[in-house]
Amino acid sequence: MSEDLTLFNMDPDEKFGEVDNTKIEYVQLAFEIGNKKSFYQKCEDLLKVYKLDNYSDLVYKLVQERHEKIKT
């Protein structure tokens, strides 16, 4: 199967056993062919801007900021 057809997996990386020691919820996103790589590149850029080290925290922060903006 082509990588472009793979679902984007936002499972957290296991650094210190947190996957085994916590309840983790998972999110998967589907992308049109050719869009996944671009999404990853944008996420990597935003991780640096927000000084974060994983996609889950980045997505949560972006959604939270957007939600707060809409609610005000």
Side-chain angles (χ1 to χ4, degrees):
M1 178 177 270
S2 169
E3 181 179 315
D4 287 327
L5 299 177
T6 303
L7 291 175
F8 175 65
N9 188 352
M10 296 181 71
D11 299 348
D13 294 331
E14 184 168 3
K15 296 179 183 169
F16 303 105
E18 60 266 11
V19 171
D20 290 334
N21 297 324
T22 62
K23 181 178 178 183
I24 302 295
E25 297 176 326
Y26 299 94
V27 174
Q28 291 184 330
L29 304 172
F31 291 91
E32 291 183 23
I33 292 175
N35 287 342
K36 188 171 76 169
K37 182 178 179 181
S38 172
F39 181 80
Y40 273 117
Q41 290 169 331
K42 291 172 185 172
C43 284
E44 288 297 319
D45 291 342
L46 289 171
L47 285 173
K48 294 173 190 168
V49 170
Y50 285 99
K51 296 180 174 80
L52 297 170
D53 63 0
N54 65 72
Y55 297 129
S56 298
D57 288 346
L58 175 63
V59 170
Y60 185 84
K61 181 165 188 66
L62 294 173
V63 169
Q64 182 179 23
E65 285 180 358
R66 184 67 180 154
H67 183 263
E68 288 173 3
K69 183 177 179 179
I70 290 170
K71 289 294 185 182
T72 59

